Amino acid sequence: MPAHVSLLYPFVPESALTGQDEKGVRSLAASFPAADLLLEEVVTASGFVGVTVPGLQPIVDAFRAQWPGLRPYGGRFGARPAAHVTVAMGADNPTAAAHVRAAVGSLLPLRTRAVAVQLVVLTTGGWQSRFTAPLGVPDGP
């Protein structure tokens, strides 16, 4: 999976995913314009290094509000974890985490653009894209 911001993880399991869920994803994506983003802050937590993406927080919050019964990351990072790009997981060694943090920090600030939401599902073959919904573009008739 390439670098990404998880809007809501875990999401509805593929076996329980309904047409209404898919419609909700497409509708929410259409309700937000494409976004120019500035990535500039590296964050660390126990075993985790990431880069915050505050420009996507409104979209993340909207997805979490649409599916209030789903707890982001199973509650591991609190009720409202910040929108972020995960850089490293399992960086439990403080020296290794510091090296990752320094390497990533040297690449910032970074400008990028978010143009779509992608619904991915975990299958026996790994993570697979189910569909992509452009930001700010209403779904067809």
Side-chain angles (χ1 to χ4, degrees):
M1 183 74 32
H4 63 279
V5 174
S6 295
L7 302 178
L8 183 55
Y9 173 82
F11 194 57
V12 177
E14 183 180 28
S15 61
L17 201 58
T18 67
Q20 191 64 29
D21 292 321
E22 291 185 2
K23 183 178 178 182
V25 169
R26 292 179 191 280
S27 178
L28 275 174
S31 72
F32 286 92
D36 291 316
L37 305 169
L38 178 62
L39 287 70
E40 57 186 345
E41 181 184 5
V42 180
V43 294
T44 57
S46 179
F48 169 85
V49 180
V51 177
T52 61
V53 188
L56 291 182
Q57 195 66 50
I59 297 173
V60 169
D61 291 343
F63 271 78
R64 292 175 184 166
Q66 180 78 20
W67 288 273
L70 302 177
R71 290 180 356 141
Y73 306 100
R76 179 178 173 202
F77 301 108
R80 189 177 178 251
H84 65 277
V85 174
T86 300
V87 176
M89 294 285 296
D92 295 321
N93 177 310
T95 303
H99 285 299
V100 171
R101 181 183 177 98
V104 171
S106 73
L107 301 173
L108 302 178
L110 178 67
R111 293 187 183 280
T112 190
R113 184 166 175 82
V115 297
V117 168
Q118 189 173 59
L119 179 63
V120 296
V121 294
L122 185 57
T123 68
T124 56
W127 290 103
Q128 301 290 322
S129 175
R130 188 158 176 139
F131 64 81
T132 299
L135 292 170
V137 178
D139 203 21

